[in-house]
Amino acid sequence: MNESNESPVYGENGELVKVGSDLKHIAFIMDGNGRWAKMRGKRRDYGHTEGAKAFERIVEYCGKIGIRVMTVYAFSTENWKRPKEEVDKIMLLLEKYLDKLLAKVSQYDIKVKFIGDKIPLSEKLKKKIALAEKETKNKGRLLNIALNYGSRAEITEAVNKLIKRGIGRVTEKDISDALYTAGEPDPDLIIRTAGEQRLSNFLMWQAAYSEFYFTDVLWPDMTDKDVEKAINNYYKRTRRYGGLA
Ligand code: IPE
Ligand code: IPE
Ligand code: MG
């Protein structure tokens, strides 16, 4: 069979074993950590700690089922409005994840890439990001971590880059190629947890023809089965891209 039109593979009990070639990129808006903690009478921090575990679980599952590109929204350009302790906690959890990835780099087939403006990040985190990106650059599947990411900032920056280059007129391709995600397939499926049905400044350009899936599950509770359910739902849809089915 031609690699470019592989179908999904299911196991004996109907479980998803491998996705097809029409599902290359899944993006996650990991939402609901705060509510998850609050429901348990705990501080929001605790929700982020549990959210980080869910993140690792879902990264592993997406690898297992053959997702080639995964993007997670970890921190938006607007999330600086939160209390400093909460921001510090999120940054610390990311550092810990990078430490783990770097310590076991040979065991993971993950090429990590941070999308977003790195300038305001701490020097320590910036160094770890640079090292992790370097150490994993030849790995197979791509994990984009959107950190201090905002779609409007990304598009504005892309246009400024093109102006600086002296371009007189821009094409859609010029813009796509100037985004953080240059050369990557657009997300086929965008999953948002915790019941909110909005993009919150995430991948607005890239999401032009993405399928959306919203679930009430709070991010720390997200399991393989929940992702499988979203994918099964994705496979029931017809993507027309403006044409006819
Ligand atoms: C995690 O969920 C997403 C981040 C911004 C890190 P939230 O922290 O937004 O959780 P809720 O929406 O307040 O429940
Ligand atoms: C979006 O979630 C950002 C991330 C998941 C990192 P928010 O919780 O910040 O979004 P809003 O404020 O509900 O739109
Ligand atoms: Mg939220």
Side-chain angles (χ1 to χ4, degrees):
M1 193 192 274
N2 187 330
E3 220 243 316
S4 63
N5 52 36
E6 270 172 26
S7 307
V9 178
Y10 296 94
E12 269 175 31
N13 303 312
E15 76 282 11
L16 179 72
V17 174
K18 215 144 198 66
V19 294
S21 51
D22 55 349
L23 184 45
K24 292 186 178 68
H25 183 175
I26 303 188
F28 292 89
I29 302 176
M30 311 185 287
D31 200 12
N33 292 353
R35 277 164 278 177
W36 188 92
K38 204 176 162 199
M39 275 169 57
R40 286 161 178 79
K42 307 258 193 198
R43 287 157 44 116
R44 294 179 56 84
D45 276 25
Y46 181 58
H48 294 306
T49 304
E50 289 304 304
K53 291 182 193 163
F55 157 73
E56 288 193 43
R57 187 158 74 226
I58 304 303
V59 169
E60 193 179 321
Y61 178 67
C62 285
K64 198 173 104 184
I65 58 170
I67 298 293
R68 282 157 51 186
V69 183
M70 176 176 167
T71 301
V72 293
Y73 205 4
F75 192 87
S76 75
T77 46
E78 288 73 38
N79 286 147
W80 296 105
K81 291 174 193 160
R82 298 189 181 197
K84 186 177 182 298
E85 308 82 74
E86 183 173 344
V87 172
D88 289 348
K89 177 72 184 190
I90 295 168
M91 300 298 167
L92 186 69
L93 286 164
L94 280 162
E95 269 188 43
K96 282 191 178 159
Y97 175 69
L98 293 179
D99 287 341
K100 200 164 162 181
L101 192 67
L102 284 164
K104 296 189 193 169
V105 79
S106 61
Q107 289 168 43
Y108 292 103
D109 183 35
I110 297 171
K111 175 177 166 172
V112 74
K113 176 176 160 185
F114 280 74
I115 63 172
D117 181 8
K118 296 185 185 103
I119 293 170
L121 307 179
S122 75
E123 288 309 314
K124 198 168 158 221
L125 181 54
K126 272 192 260 196
K127 270 195 195 126
K128 273 187 192 165
I129 289 174
L131 187 63
E133 288 184 337
K134 183 170 152 261
E135 294 294 318
T136 62
K137 73 173 192 295
N138 296 319
K139 298 280 184 178
R141 68 181 171 113
L142 178 63
L143 169 64
N144 289 315
I145 299 180
L147 178 61
N148 190 26
Y149 174 88
S151 221
R152 288 185 173 178
E154 179 186 38
I155 296 167
T156 306
E157 201 38 56
V159 172
N160 279 324
K161 243 194 269 178
L162 295 167
I163 292 172
K164 212 169 158 190
R165 219 182 280 160
I167 202 162
R169 209 187 128 74
V170 295
T171 63
E172 289 187 7
K173 187 167 185 303
D174 289 329
I175 294 179
S176 290
D177 290 348
L179 299 176
Y180 294 117
T181 51
E184 299 175 19
D186 285 336
D188 299 295
L189 175 61
I190 298 181
I191 298 174
R192 184 168 187 152
T193 57
E196 248 51 84
Q197 303 196 356
R198 53 176 170 259
L199 271 179
S200 303
N201 206 6
F202 187 52
L203 303 180
M204 294 191 309
W205 177 277
Q206 298 88 338
Y209 272 103
S210 301
E211 296 294 331
F212 290 87
Y213 182 88
F214 301 105
T215 171
D216 288 336
V217 172
L218 301 175
W219 180 257
D221 287 329
M222 196 71 174
T223 64
D224 298 2
K225 281 288 151 203
D226 296 314
V227 178
E228 185 185 23
K229 211 167 134 189
I231 294 173
N232 287 336
N233 184 283
Y234 168 83
Y235 276 123
K236 289 201 188 96
R237 305 185 190 186
T238 308
R239 299 179 76 184
R240 284 183 287 273
Y241 300 95
L244 300 175

